[in-house]
Amino acid sequence: MVQYVVWALTESDVLFSGSAERDGVMQGNGSHRVGQTMTVDSSQWTPIDITGAEFAFQGCDNRTLTTAQTFGGVTYGAGTRVEAEYSFVVSQGAENWTVTSFNFVTTSPEFRAAEGIAIAGTAPPPTGVPLRIVNAQEGPGVFASSHFTPPCFVAGSRIATDRGLKSVETLVEGDRVLTRDSGYQPVLSAIRRKFWAVGKCAPIEIAAGVLGAESAVRVSQRHRLLVGDRTGPSFAGLPEAFAMAGDLENGTTIRKIEGGRVEYVHLLLPQHSVILSDGMWSESFFPGDVAQGELTSSHQAEIQSCMDQYGIDTFGSLARPMVHKSEALAAA
């Protein structure tokens, strides 16, 4: 089983231009919403922790609350089933959001009540702005790309390049970054994504002086940091290894920072590499099956285009072996 987070507003926090019900058997496939406008009337989105068989918020099979959850003034116990009824796309000019109508399965029939709407991963729609509903579908499928962020740097991190330290969000294709093993290597793609800095999407901050960091560095929880020293004592039987930032969390010098929004940047190089950020060595983006499965389809297409352009068949293996969480904690 896997865990992920969706963000929700109660039905009373959302206004529709039409008269179609939010509750009851009129839920259907959501087609009754198309052509209406939706206005978000609150900025107080609530995180809903979901446990499921896969990274997908759809239907109600094997999707339950991870812990007890209070929503709309009602407390639902851990293990309560959560059903995604239908999804619809709202639009403001060139920007779109996918919104899911959902309910907690505590009523009979199961589909009778829609407690609210949910989005996953991306920044929320604006408050107080009528948004046009352009399409809808039954049995929505919101997958891992919307729930998690792959390993990456937080915007503002300074990366060592052949032109000195540069903020990661300013790097573009063709810029050359310093790698631990192969000198300066070109950036093939720099992918930027915004999230709420809460739960699994909150960044990890590594304090200055820890793991070589010359100033505080923030990365995603699954970003791999270099531990050990090729010139010093071995670590877990290896001169150097990778450990996930979240596994190194100790609450003080390596800690989770929650609140507000966070922008993550993925740097794709010709091969998985160890790169330097504010004096700390960590990884470039590794587009393995798991990480790519957590990117949007457009970003996956961008990566495939880069591979085709540069004649890359595969990115091979990790630049360093991984260590388990217990071994990582020993290094923190």
Side-chain angles (χ1 to χ4, degrees), residues 151-162:
C152 44
F153 295 95
V154 170
S157 301
R158 297 181 301 171
I159 306 298
T161 76
D162 59 357

Side-chain angles (χ1 to χ4, degrees), residues 254-265:
I254 303 178
R255 61 194 182 102
K256 183 163 62 176
I257 305 294
E258 293 192 298
R261 305 283 173 74
V262 60
E263 182 176 27
Y264 289 112
V265 184

Side-chain angles (χ1 to χ4, degrees), residues 235-236 241-244 247-248 321-330:
F235 176 76
F242 277 138
M244 285 190 182
D247 287 347
L248 294 171
M322 283 284 296
V323 295
H324 297 296
K325 183 173 182 177
S326 59
E327 296 167 326
L329 287 173

